[in-house]
Amino acid sequence: MRQIWPPEHAGELDDAGLERLYGYPAGRWLAVNFVSSADGAVALHGRARELSNEPDRRVLRLGSDLADVLLVGATTAMVEEFRGVHPDAETAARRERHGLAPIPPTAVVTTGRSLPEDAPVVTEAVVPSFVITTASAPDRKRAAWAAAGATVVIAGEREVDLGLAVDALAAQGLERVDSEGGAQLFGALLAAGLVDELRLTVSPTLVSGIAGRIATGVDIEPARLELLSVVAESDTLMVRYGVLDRSGR
């Protein structure tokens, strides 16, 4: 991979250089990861992974390898068949080198309607997942998630209060958050003023059609961004933006 921005750091990147770019600062930090086509589509054949390629997977992996916790919406977890992190030797060595727990847990966000009792993100996770849900979620589902090993966190009455959710994760020592979709979760995080960084891969693909965008939901005041880095490989651009204005609504 080659870094092309900022110009003073342009050049080929080794693994250590990539880790420097895609690491997290000390303290609380929430980074959102997305891939989109060059014409802005967030999915191909209904799935984000259809747009991904090897460079994108490398930086996406760094996002989770260097995070304390992964945050994902329930619908995305089901559509993408997310099962939590199952580390290989490279991930294990990287996390040990950075003083992190061997495996980052996954926190899945649901009002209670969109996450089945036997969701793989809960039942097949190597370490217990967090299910962040509402007081109105069915008791039967909450009991089933807990029985499968998940920590059930109530954050809100009928809609998930993401500020409470992120606070609850931080209280568990999980301050560096890697959000991996979907678009409604990203939009809600923006509306709540919780996003510190956007990590966007532009896939060298044109899709057209009716595919959605990376953030959907309520209108927000436009948030200004600062370009942090641009990396290129195999016709693919990987861009990092810092969010300068997190005022949300």
Side-chain angles (χ1 to χ4, degrees):
M1 288 192 183
R2 180 174 180 81
Q3 184 170 349
I4 57 179
W5 183 269
E8 62 268 24
H9 297 302
E12 295 299 320
L13 284 170
D14 56 15
D15 288 343
L18 275 175
E19 288 184 9
R20 172 182 55 80
L21 279 182
Y22 284 88
Y24 297 78
R28 293 176 64 159
W29 194 261
L30 194 152
V32 173
N33 275 279
F34 263 99
V35 60
S36 77
S37 67
D39 57 340
V42 73
L44 178 61
H45 305 136
R47 303 177 75 171
R49 70 174 62 182
E50 296 287 334
L51 291 171
S52 187
N53 56 16
E54 195 276 335
D56 174 59
R57 287 189 288 272
R58 283 185 67 187
V59 297
L60 182 65
R61 177 174 176 171
L62 281 168
S64 61
D65 281 359
L66 298 173
D68 294 321
V69 61
L70 277 64
L71 185 68
V72 63
T75 299
T76 296
M78 296 304 297
V79 170
E80 301 291 340
E81 300 176 350
F82 198 73
R83 300 164 49 246
V85 176
H86 291 243
D88 59 14
E90 181 180 355
T91 290
R94 177 178 286 140
R95 291 185 66 81
E96 182 178 12
R97 188 166 65 251
H98 287 269
L100 298 167
I103 304 172
T106 298
V108 57
V109 177
T110 178
T111 59
R113 298 183 295 270
S114 52
L115 189 70
E117 296 175 17
D118 59 350
V121 69
V122 174
T123 62
E124 298 182 30
V126 177
V127 297
S129 295
F130 291 83
V131 176
I132 300 172
T133 190
T134 64
S136 63
D139 291 340
R140 182 193 72 256
K141 281 193 171 184
R142 283 192 273 166
W145 297 327
T151 299
V152 178
V153 177
I154 305 300
E157 290 297 320
R158 303 194 67 82
E159 299 295 331
V160 174
D161 183 324
L162 290 170
L164 290 178
V166 172
D167 286 345
L169 293 174
Q172 297 289 324
L174 306 174
E175 295 189 318
R176 289 163 291 192
V177 181
D178 173 36
S179 178
E180 297 192 358
Q184 288 187 335
L185 177 60
F186 185 18
L189 289 167
L190 286 172
L194 295 170
V195 181
D196 296 293
E197 181 182 344
L198 169 62
R199 299 173 175 185
L200 177 65
T201 294
V202 181
S203 174
T205 311
L206 293 173
V207 172
S208 189
I210 59 171
R213 47 196 288 192
I214 66 172
T216 60
V218 300
D219 290 338
I220 63 169
E221 290 297 322
R224 295 188 304 116
L225 302 178
E226 174 189 17
L227 184 60
L228 300 178
S229 68
V230 182
V231 175
E233 182 171 287
S234 302
D235 302 318
T236 304
L237 288 178
M238 288 142 288
V239 184
R240 294 173 51 248
Y241 286 106
V243 181
L244 296 178
D245 179 2
R246 302 194 306 159
S247 59
R249 288 180 179 272

